[in-house]
Amino acid sequence: MTTAPLRLALVGAPNTGKTTLFNSLTGSRQKVANYPGVTVERKSGSFVTPDGHSVTVLDLPGTYSLRGRSPDEEITRDIVLGRFPGEAVPDLVLCVADATNLRLTLRLVLELKRVGRPMMLVLNMIDIAKRRGVTIDLDRLSQELGLPIVTSVAVRKGGIDELLRRTDEFLSRADETATGNQWTAPTIGDLKAAQREADRIIAASVTLPAKPDTLTARIDAVVLHPIGGLAILALILFVMFQAVFSWAQPAMEFLSDSFSVLGQLIRDVLPEGLLQSFLQNGVISGVGSVIVFLPQIIIIFLFILLLEDFGYMARAAFLMDRIMGGAGLHGRAFIPLLSSFACAIPGIMATRVIDNRRDRLTTILIAPLMTCSARIPVYTLIISAFVPAKTLWGWVNLQGLVMFGLYAAGITSALTVSAIAKFFLWRDHAPAPFMLELPDYKLPRLRSIAIGVFTRARMFLYRAGTTILSMMVLIWFLASFPTAPAGAEGPAINYSFAAMIGHALEPLLAPIGFNWQIAVALIPGMAAREVAVAALGTVYSIEGGKEAADQIGQVLAQKWGLATALSLLVWYIFAPQCASTLAVIRRETGSAKWMVFTFVYMLALAYVASLLTFNLARALGIS
Amino acid sequence: MTGDPTSPQDIRLGDAARGFVGKIRRLDALQTGSGSSLSAQELEQRLVEMGFVEGARVEILHEGAIRRDPIAVRVDSATIALRRSEAMAVIVE
C-alpha cells in the first residue's frame, strides 16, 4: 500500500449528476482553478475513506465521447489517457451514469474501457430510477460490461457509502493494474457499433417501466410552449432581478455602512497622515466598494445554480437560441449576459456554461456593455442634475425615459458588437452547433447548491483580496501623491498624479466636452464606476455626508453644460471604467490579450460616441 | 423497413412538424446542403453521440417560437434540443 493519495477522476456525460457526486464526496474541500493556458475550469477536491485512505478527486469536464470536440473535452481525454502535461494519470476512473438514462453513458463507458485504466461505473440517481420503476440487473450489467458497478444517491446522506467502501476495497487489492491502452479516436462506424452494443446491453439488463416519466413532459408542455415558455422565462427573470436589486439591498447597505464605520474607526484611531489615508481611502473604501457587490453575486449564483440543477437552464437556452442567434450569440449566452446587468464580474464568471470557446469569448467581450448596477449612481446623479423631472404625454417620466434609453443603448451596442465580432473575428470559423440534452427535471439539492455558491463567493473574495486590492492601491497612490504643499488651497487631489494625468488628458478629452475635473474623477472611477461620483465631490471640494450627492448634483448643474453632461452619460455606457472587470476578463480568458482588446474597443467606442453626442448637442444649440 | 435508400417516404427530421413520431433510417449529412456549418462527418458523429442511430425512435416534442426552430426531440430515452438545420441530416420514416 502506498502513502500517496489515490487519484480518482470523475468522467461522465453532462447531466449525470457528476458535480453533485463530486460535491458529496469532497464537501467544501474543493479547489477551483484553470488548467494552464486554457479557459477550462479545473475542479479538484479531496476526501478520506472510512479506512483512512486519502483520495484526491478530479471532476473532469462532462463529455459524450473521448473524441475531444472542444477544449473541455480534450482535457478530459488527455487526462484519462495520461497525456496532459503536469497531470498524473488517474489511478481509478469513476464513470458516472444517470441510472434513469443509461443510453448515452454506456456508449462512453465502452469507449473508456478501451483506455485500459482501472475503472468503476457509478449508477447515480438510482433512487429516482427505482421510483420510476426502472429495474436494473446489476450483476448482468456488470458482467456484460466487465466492470464493477456501484449505485449511489449523490444527493442523500449515506448515498455514497457503498462508493466509499468500494474505493477502500480497490485500494486493498494490489492486483488491479492498468491494461494496455487500445483507445483510438472512434470513427463514425465505431460510434454506431458502440451505440448498438450499448443498446443491446441495456435491452439485456434493464427493464423500463410500461409508463415513462410524465412529470417532465407535463412541465415541458408549459415551459417550452413557444409563447407561454417565453412568458415564463420573462417572469423568472423578473423575479431574479427583483431579488438581485431589492433582496440584496439591505445586505449591501449593511456592508457599505460597515466599511464606512471601519474607515471612520481608522480615521479616529490613527493620526492624520499617509498611513491613515492609505488604510481608509486606499484599502477599506477601495476594497469595500467592490465587496459590497458580494450579496448580488451570491443571489445571482444562487438563481443560476438552482435553475441549472433543476434542469431549466438548458430550456432557457432552447427558448432563446433563435432570438440570440440573430446577433451571433449562442442560446447559452443568455443567462451570463443577463447577470451582467447586476455586475459584469459574475456575468463573465457565468460564461463558463458556454462550451464553445469562440461563443464564450464573444459573450465575455460584450458582457461589460450591459448596464451594470455600478453605473446607476452615476446615471442617477447626472440625470437628476440635468434632466428636468417632466412628465411626457401624461404618463412618461422624462428622467425615467433617459434611464431606459441608456439601458437600451447598452443592449443595442452589445448585440451590434457581437454581430461585428462574428463577422470580423470569427468569419472563417463556423458557428457552433446547438445540440444539447434537455435533462429530466430534478429537485435541486440545497447542500450541493450551497457548496456551489460558496465556491463562487470565495473566488470573488479572493480576487477582491488580490487583483482588485492592488488596483485600488495603485489608484489611491495616483490620487494621493505627491501630497499637497503646505498652505495649498483646494483639495489635495488637485496636486496629485491623478490631477496631472487629468490635466494631461484634458486636451484629448476636450473634444468630447470633458474638463480636467472630469478627467481626474475618471481615474479613481477606474476602481469602480460609482467611485467617480465621490471623486467628483472631492475635486469640487464638497465634504461627504448623506446630502453630498444632492450637493454634487447642484454644483455640476452650475459648472457643466448640458452637452458635457450628455457626453459623460454616453461615455459611461461604453467606457471600460472598471478595473475589476478587466481583471476578471484577464483571468477568465487566460490571457492579457483579450483584456487589452476589451479595453481598447470599449474606449474607442466611448470616445466616438461621446464625441458625436457632444458635437451633436452643441450643433443643436444645447450647451 | 425497405432496403431502398432513396425511398420516397424518406422524411428529414428537420422538415417534420411537432408531434411527428418515427424511426431513424439513417444519417445523411452530405446532402443536407443547409445551414449547418459542421463538416458532414463531424455532424454525423455528433448526432450519433447524442443517440441518433439507426432504428432509434424519435418524436418531436417541442419547437421554438421563431420559424419553429430549434426543436426538442425525444430520442429513445433522452430529450435532445437541436436546430432544424442540423436535424436535416437525420432521415426518418
Side-chain angles (χ1 to χ4, degrees):
Chain A
M1 204 183 300
T2 53
T3 48
L6 177 82
R7 287 182 305 268
L8 214 105
L10 294 182
V11 185
N15 308 312
T16 50
K18 199 165 56 64
T19 301
T20 315
L21 183 65
F22 177 73
N23 285 343
S24 301
L25 281 171
T26 62
S28 56
R29 290 178 300 272
Q30 299 185 3
K31 233 178 84 185
V32 182
N34 272 17
Y35 288 100
V38 280
T39 55
V40 181
E41 196 167 85
R42 181 187 189 275
K43 285 173 78 182
S44 61
S46 63
F47 67 94
V48 178
T49 65
D51 284 2
H53 300 287
S54 55
V55 179
T56 62
V57 198
L58 200 55
D59 185 12
L60 293 174
T63 182
Y64 290 104
S65 89
L66 291 183
R67 283 198 303 121
R69 314 178 306 191
S70 68
D72 303 47
E73 296 186 1
E74 279 170 18
I75 280 179
T76 302
R77 178 194 67 200
D78 289 349
I79 287 179
V80 169
L81 293 174
R83 280 189 202 160
F84 197 86
E87 291 282 350
V89 65
D91 299 316
L92 176 63
V93 173
L94 281 190
C95 187
V96 187
D98 172 358
T100 63
N101 183 15
L102 284 173
R103 228 180 141 233
L104 302 183
T105 308
L106 280 198
R107 210 210 54 252
L108 176 66
V109 170
L110 293 173
E111 201 184 333
L112 276 166
K113 264 184 71 183
R114 299 177 62 86
V115 176
R117 302 299 312 164
M119 189 161 106
M120 211 161 17
L121 177 64
V122 185
L123 291 186
N124 201 8
M125 307 190 229
I126 193 77
D127 56 331
I128 301 177
K130 275 184 190 147
R131 212 177 316 134
R132 287 201 197 143
V134 179
T135 43
I136 302 174
D137 182 344
L138 293 176
D139 294 332
R140 179 72 191 270
L141 186 59
S142 173
Q143 187 195 333
E144 291 275 0
L145 291 170
L147 287 175
I149 296 181
V150 189
T151 59
S152 81
V153 185
V155 293
R156 192 169 306 150
K157 207 169 163 52
I160 55 165
D161 286 352
E162 192 192 348
L163 177 56
L164 295 176
R165 210 185 62 238
R166 294 288 280 270
T167 309
D168 270 331
E169 275 178 31
F170 172 82
L171 275 159
S172 60
R173 272 198 316 266
D175 58 339
E176 190 91 28
T177 45
T179 53
N181 174 18
Q182 297 174 339
W183 183 84
T184 47
T187 64
I188 183 144
D190 297 340
L191 286 172
K192 285 182 184 172
Q195 187 64 64
R196 268 195 290 274
E197 173 68 2
D199 286 344
R200 186 192 64 76
I201 294 174
I202 291 172
S205 53
V206 180
T207 323
L208 291 167
K211 248 189 180 169
D213 172 49
T214 53
L215 183 63
T216 294
R218 279 200 306 249
I219 298 176
D220 272 347
V222 180
V223 162
L224 292 183
H225 184 272
I227 311 297
L230 286 172
I232 290 170
L233 178 62
L235 185 72
I236 291 174
L237 299 181
F238 179 77
V239 173
M240 187 165 148
F241 267 85
Q242 283 299 310
V244 166
F245 285 108
S246 53
W247 302 357
Q249 206 54 45
M252 290 176 78
E253 271 167 23
F254 171 75
L255 279 174
S256 160
D257 290 347
S258 306
F259 278 104
S260 313
V261 168
L262 200 63
Q264 197 58 46
L265 201 70
I266 297 277
R267 201 189 163 118
D268 293 344
V269 169
L270 289 176
E272 199 169 312
L274 271 186
L275 184 67
Q276 186 212 51
S277 162
F278 173 73
L279 287 177
Q280 193 196 347
N281 301 324
V283 178
I284 292 175
S285 69
V287 172
S289 66
V290 178
I291 289 183
V292 288
F293 292 108
L294 185 65
Q296 288 193 336
I297 287 184
I298 288 177
I299 290 176
I300 282 183
F301 275 108
L302 184 66
F303 269 90
I304 290 180
L305 291 171
L306 272 175
L307 292 175
E308 180 88 65
D309 240 36
F310 184 56
Y312 186 74
M313 281 304 221
R315 269 89 182 172
F318 174 84
L319 289 169
M320 292 305 294
D321 180 66
R322 196 68 202 223
I323 297 167
M324 313 268 299
L329 288 165
H330 197 266
R332 289 203 158 229
F334 180 60
I335 298 289
L337 289 179
L338 202 75
S339 314
S340 302
F341 280 108
C343 174
I345 296 168
I348 290 168
M349 283 159 72
T351 60
R352 293 186 172 188
V353 298
I354 307 170
D355 316 308
N356 182 275
R357 183 182 145 76
R358 287 189 301 274
D359 286 333
R360 189 171 163 219
L361 261 176
T362 310
T363 312
I364 289 176
L365 289 183
I366 63 169
L369 287 174
M370 296 294 171
T371 303
C372 67
S373 56
R375 285 173 171 103
I376 296 175
V378 181
Y379 286 173
T380 321
L381 171 76
I382 298 177
I383 289 176
S384 56
F386 289 92
V387 179
K390 268 199 301 198
T391 303
L392 298 181
W393 309 298
W395 59 279
V396 181
N397 176 311
L398 182 61
Q399 292 184 333
L401 186 69
V402 172
M403 192 72 149
F404 174 79
L406 294 170
Y407 270 85
I411 298 168
T412 315
S413 59
L415 296 181
T416 312
V417 169
S418 159
I420 292 172
K422 183 189 173 192
F423 186 74
F424 283 104
L425 291 176
W426 322 130
R427 188 168 28 177
D428 301 333
H429 300 278
F434 178 80
M435 219 185 268
L436 65 126
E437 203 179 337
L438 302 180
D440 285 350
Y441 291 105
K442 286 176 198 79
L443 267 187
R445 298 301 158 141
L446 294 180
R447 195 178 121 81
S448 191
I449 302 267
I451 291 172
V453 170
F454 173 75
T455 313
R456 300 290 161 196
R458 200 175 52 183
M459 278 169 73
F460 173 75
L461 287 178
Y462 175 76
R463 232 179 337 251
T466 53
T467 324
I468 296 173
L469 175 63
S470 44
M471 293 277 188
M472 298 304 158
V473 171
L474 176 70
I475 289 162
W476 168 83
F477 176 82
L478 290 176
S480 311
F481 285 95
T483 48
E489 284 187 17
I493 194 173
N494 290 359
Y495 299 91
S496 67
F497 288 121
M500 291 176 207
I501 298 172
H503 282 293
L505 288 177
E506 200 187 358
L508 274 178
L509 294 177
I512 61 173
F514 291 4
N515 53 24
W516 73 267
Q517 286 95 335
I518 296 180
V520 171
L522 290 181
I523 293 168
M526 279 299 291
R529 287 182 168 89
E530 74 277 22
V531 176
V533 171
L536 279 172
T538 313
V539 184
Y540 286 110
S541 34
I542 298 152
E543 277 304 313
K546 285 273 176 207
E547 310 79 37
D550 290 339
Q551 287 183 26
I552 297 170
Q554 287 164 16
V555 172
L556 297 188
Q558 292 160 15
K559 303 229 170 183
W560 297 355
L562 182 57
T564 294
L566 291 176
S567 176
L568 185 62
L569 277 180
V570 170
W571 173 268
Y572 255 82
I573 298 174
F574 301 108
Q577 279 283 142
C578 179
S580 327
T581 300
L582 294 170
V584 171
I585 291 177
R586 206 202 89 86
R587 207 192 113 93
E588 291 293 315
T589 60
S591 84
K593 187 177 88 176
W594 291 108
M595 178 182 80
V596 173
F597 181 85
T598 310
F599 182 79
V600 171
Y601 103 77
M602 289 180 77
L603 195 65
L605 213 56
Y607 194 86
V608 170
S610 289
L611 190 68
L612 287 176
T613 308
F614 184 65
N615 287 300
L616 203 66
R618 285 215 305 193
L620 291 173
I622 311 165
S623 61
Chain B
M1 218 195 293
T2 61
D4 179 9
T6 54
S7 156
Q9 301 136 311
D10 276 0
I11 304 168
R12 291 182 184 277
L13 186 62
D15 287 331
R18 193 163 72 89
F20 172 87
V21 182
K23 218 172 198 183
I24 298 178
R25 280 174 55 95
R26 62 196 157 88
L27 299 183
D28 176 20
L30 270 181
Q31 286 170 31
T32 53
S34 59
S36 182
S37 49
L38 300 170
S39 76
Q41 194 194 7
E42 178 62 26
L43 177 57
E44 285 189 16
Q45 281 186 329
R46 289 193 184 204
L47 286 167
V48 173
E49 281 166 4
M50 299 306 269
F52 289 91
V53 289
E54 284 90 343
R57 177 189 178 275
V58 287
E59 177 180 358
I60 300 187
L61 298 177
H62 308 281
E63 47 194 23
I66 298 178
R67 309 180 81 180
R68 302 185 294 121
D69 193 33
I71 48 174
V73 185
R74 187 79 184 166
V75 189
D76 276 351
S77 59
T79 309
I80 311 292
L82 77 170
R83 295 190 188 125
R84 283 188 180 271
S85 59
E86 276 123 21
M88 284 295 176
V90 183
I91 314 291
V92 289
E93 59 172 10

